[in-house]
Amino acid sequence: MIAMQYRFRLPIDYDMRIIENRVRENGHRLDNFPGLILKAWCFANIGDPQISGEPLYAPFYLWQDSASMARFIQSDGFKKLVSDFGRPAIDDWLVLDYLPGHDLHRSAFAQREIEPIAADSDLSRINTMPVPPAGITRILAWDVRQWRLLSFQLSSQPFNDVPGAERYRVGHLSLPVR
């Protein structure tokens, strides 16, 4: 599995209704996209006490494999994103662990924490973090180029327990249709 995220920092006075409408109008289009395990349509707005302090549009993806990710990046939907916002720098991580919470489909909040992996770390112990509570979905992944560890979590309730973590609203969660 591969985790992927791009983030657009928006101007302070950006009308976030544009992003909210974009998510509302397009969110369903990625439901059941081949190879997509999930897409959290994340955004952050100034003044929302439950999320980070700067305006962001920051979708997060979990892919089955690189071919699925490439198919999306080559799609008309991604071309439209590039047309509207410019070509983003895309962060990607190799997934170490994916623990879906029992109410993943109700996720309304997300939290992203990235930490450096120390040069003397025992890499065999990287994915031995405590299991999150039942209602929390966690994706643990690493960037082996820059040696960073990603913990991305989704929940129906706001996060506020990790200082320095980037927090978002989730406007839509694209999942495989069963």
Side-chain angles (χ1 to χ4, degrees):
M1 285 186 277
I2 301 170
M4 173 182 120
Q5 187 178 36
Y6 45 84
R7 296 160 53 249
F8 293 102
R9 284 190 162 83
L10 303 168
I12 297 294
D13 60 349
Y14 190 84
D15 183 356
M16 290 303 288
R17 290 178 295 193
I18 295 168
I19 299 298
E20 292 169 7
N21 289 335
R22 178 185 198 92
V23 171
R24 191 172 21 266
E25 292 170 7
N26 296 305
H28 70 280
R29 294 182 184 189
L30 263 77
D31 296 350
N32 221 29
F33 190 92
L36 180 66
I37 298 168
L38 69 80
K39 176 182 180 180
W41 296 71
C42 298
F43 59 92
N45 195 4
I46 286 185
D48 186 336
Q50 306 297 334
I51 58 172
S52 294
E54 65 179 317
L56 292 170
Y57 177 43
F60 182 90
Y61 303 76
L62 184 60
W63 296 104
Q64 287 179 353
D65 53 41
S66 61
S68 302
M69 183 174 134
R71 193 169 29 256
F72 171 72
I73 293 171
Q74 295 166 337
S75 74
D76 289 340
F78 190 78
K79 286 178 191 169
K80 175 74 171 125
L81 174 93
V82 170
S83 170
D84 292 347
F85 294 98
R87 186 180 288 170
I90 299 174
D91 288 321
D92 59 270
W93 300 270
L94 300 173
V95 175
L96 295 163
D97 199 19
Y98 169 50
L99 297 169
H102 69 272
D103 62 349
L104 170 61
H105 63 285
R106 292 189 187 122
S107 296
F109 298 92
Q111 175 173 268
R112 177 184 106 153
E113 183 180 12
I114 297 177
E115 298 178 349
I117 300 172
D120 61 350
S121 294
D122 180 354
L123 299 179
S124 68
R125 300 184 58 79
I126 291 289
N127 63 343
T128 58
M129 295 181 78
V131 174
I136 306 287
T137 294
R138 185 188 70 210
I139 298 155
L140 187 64
W142 59 354
D143 169 354
V144 294
R145 181 176 172 272
Q146 297 183 47
W147 294 105
R148 303 179 305 161
L149 185 65
L150 165 76
S151 175
F152 189 85
Q153 298 180 358
L154 294 158
S155 175
S156 61
Q157 300 299 313
F159 293 95
N160 60 9
D161 59 339
V162 178
E166 203 165 83
R167 293 187 297 278
Y168 316 102
R169 293 250 179 214
V170 177
H172 181 80
L173 190 65
S174 294
L175 296 168
V177 178
R178 302 222 187 261

